[in-house]
Amino acid sequence: MPLKFELCPGRMIGGNHPCFIIAEIGQNHQGEIEIAKKMIKMAKDCGADCAKFQKSELEHKFNKRALERPYTSKHSWGKTYGEHKRHLEFSHEQYRELQKYAEEVGIFFTASGMDEMAVEFLHELDVPFLKVGSGDTNNFPYLEKTAKKGRPMVVSSGMQSMETMRRVYKTVKEHNQNFTILQCTSAYPLEAEDVNLRVIAEYQKEFPDIPIGYSGHESGINISVAAVALGAKVIERHVTLDKTWKGSDHAASLEPAELTELVRSIRLVERALGSSLKQMLPCEKPCHDKLGKSVVAKVKIPKGTALTLDMLTVKVAEPMGVAAEDIFQLVGKTVTEDVEEDESVAPGLVDSYGKRAKC
């Protein structure tokens, strides 16, 4: 059984606990705090467990030339990449305001720390867990410092190799037992042939003592639901209020109706996964009573006759007799009463008959 741990206060993940669903708001708030609040409320109303943002301290995430680079994309909020990013970056005080609002709404609140100083701020903010975005997954000094904070961690694995992810696992595990790794492909939007859901099973084999999850950037919800069927214990999806808004993430995001349906479908799949114990269930009894087959005499069998297979057949019979799967157990045993042709062979009519224990 995969490791279970408390990702947020009172909310366990792993094992048989419900999948933890993260609504990744990221920077789809357009730099407007009121839109960010609407998105937090939307995530709650749609049934997500957590509303998540992306926090950067820009001078620590980018060098000067990267910030000064001209940015002429249709998605740009400024002439340079730095101006663009500053437009989308909330201040520390705004983060505190959003955190307070999320608490009022009743949904967990956190962010990806996009650089070491952002992690320091989020730690000070007392978020329930720290998210490591794919861009920092191979940033081992960052990983070690983040792990040492002692908070649960969610680590995405886009753009990484299995060799790198083994190093990530060892690095984090040395300092922090409570973390999960998410299969992820960093393309926006993501085509189905690049999702590679089978990596979930490989991660489960490589890292059997941690929960494994999925962070998706594909269109629609079907692939994310399939990830849960494959055992994902955390699902992260970008969300938006309008896919047509300016910003490269919107096209790969879920609108409210889609997020609602994702949550509903995940909870349905979790119910359907049920138990690994195969047995006849109480809900199957009406069908069994109506159509279940049992052993019937193919010919008239006089009292005292030792049964042979050619004397017996299997039919839907009234009343029900010996269960069909036990027909071979009857061979060589004697009947204690006459059994007419086409009559059920009742258990009480066969000497020394005893049904085998069912598993």
Side-chain angles (χ1 to χ4, degrees):
M1 181 66 70
L3 176 69
K4 299 175 285 186
F5 67 88
E6 190 176 57
L7 183 63
C8 295
R11 183 61 161 85
M12 301 288 291
I13 66 163
N16 292 321
H17 295 282
C19 178
F20 189 85
I21 302 171
I22 299 171
E24 165 69 297
I25 295 169
Q27 296 192 324
N28 280 353
H29 47 69
Q30 314 300 86
E32 300 289 338
I33 193 150
E34 292 306 316
I35 292 177
K37 288 180 179 179
K38 287 180 182 178
M39 296 185 77
I40 291 172
K41 183 65 162 56
M42 178 269 283
K44 170 65 177 178
D45 291 345
C46 293
D49 294 292
C50 179
K52 191 182 81 64
F53 291 79
Q54 295 173 3
K55 183 71 185 90
S56 299
E57 302 293 345
L58 296 179
E59 284 70 24
H60 292 272
K61 180 179 179 180
F62 301 99
N63 72 2
K64 289 182 180 180
R65 289 186 66 180
L67 291 173
E68 293 168 355
R69 184 178 69 214
Y71 194 50
T72 57
S73 164
K74 65 179 182 179
H75 300 302
S76 174
W77 293 95
K79 294 180 180 179
T80 66
Y81 198 63
E83 289 178 6
H84 166 77
K85 295 300 288 185
R86 287 186 186 95
H87 174 82
L88 294 172
E89 195 64 47
F90 288 138
S91 68
H92 289 191
E93 192 54 42
Q94 287 175 314
Y95 260 86
R96 292 187 181 94
E97 184 179 345
L98 292 173
Q99 183 186 47
K100 181 180 178 182
Y101 181 75
E103 184 177 353
E104 292 171 358
V105 167
I107 190 170
F108 294 117
F109 172 91
T110 194
S112 297
M114 309 299 277
D115 54 79
E116 291 181 13
M117 291 307 295
V119 170
E120 292 295 334
F121 167 67
L122 293 171
H123 182 59
E124 176 191 329
L125 200 63
D126 198 26
V127 295
F129 67 90
L130 294 167
K131 169 68 195 297
V132 178
S134 294
D136 279 304
T137 298
N138 62 348
N139 182 349
F140 289 96
Y142 165 101
L143 273 183
E144 186 171 334
K145 290 177 182 178
T146 302
K148 285 180 177 179
K149 296 298 182 187
R151 296 184 184 276
M153 294 170 62
V154 175
V155 183
S156 279
S157 61
M159 303 179 285
Q160 312 303 329
S161 67
M162 182 62 84
E163 180 181 356
T164 297
M165 293 314 299
R166 292 189 188 105
R167 286 185 61 195
V168 169
Y169 170 84
K170 290 178 182 178
T171 299
V172 176
K173 192 77 172 178
E174 183 179 351
H175 305 288
N176 192 333
Q177 299 296 305
N178 296 329
F179 68 102
T180 174
I181 289 175
L182 311 185
Q183 161 58 359
C184 177
T185 302
S186 297
Y188 306 80
L190 174 61
E191 297 299 326
E193 56 267 27
D194 294 322
V195 172
N196 293 331
L197 286 180
R198 287 190 174 96
V199 174
I200 292 173
E202 291 303 305
Y203 281 166
Q204 289 166 339
K205 287 189 287 186
E206 286 279 342
F207 318 123
D209 58 348
I210 65 169
I212 300 301
Y214 174 70
S215 177
H217 306 123
E218 71 278 2
S219 299
I221 69 169
N222 293 340
I223 289 169
S224 295
V225 175
V228 175
L230 290 172
K233 302 301 182 182
V234 175
I235 291 290
E236 177 186 69
R237 289 298 304 271
H238 285 254
V239 297
T240 182
L241 296 179
D242 188 338
K243 291 183 183 182
T244 67
W245 279 356
K246 184 165 73 172
S248 57
D249 284 350
H250 291 287
S253 301
L254 301 178
E255 291 182 340
E258 293 174 299
L259 179 59
T260 298
E261 182 59 20
L262 174 67
V263 174
R264 189 201 68 81
S265 297
I266 286 173
R267 300 307 176 214
L268 180 64
V269 165
E270 287 175 331
R271 287 171 55 202
L273 285 171
S275 170
S276 60
L277 177 63
K278 182 58 183 173
Q279 59 182 342
M280 187 170 77
L281 299 174
C283 65
E284 296 178 291
K285 191 174 186 304
C287 185
H288 177 264
D289 290 347
K290 181 180 180 181
L291 297 174
K293 291 189 174 181
S294 52
V295 178
V296 170
K298 188 185 292 187
V299 296
K300 180 176 181 178
I301 307 172
K303 176 181 177 180
T305 301
L307 293 171
T308 59
L309 194 58
D310 59 3
M311 299 176 184
L312 307 172
T313 190
V314 172
K315 293 184 178 182
V316 176
E318 182 64 38
M320 295 187 80
V322 171
E325 66 262 29
D326 288 348
I327 188 170
F328 297 117
Q329 291 187 28
L330 302 181
V331 175
K333 294 182 170 60
T334 59
V335 293
T336 58
E337 301 288 343
D338 291 344
V339 183
E340 297 299 322
E341 180 183 348
D342 205 42
E343 183 180 331
S344 300
V345 179
L349 298 180
V350 182
D351 189 41
S352 302
Y353 166 73
K355 293 189 74 173
R356 67 182 183 276
K358 298 292 190 300
C359 296

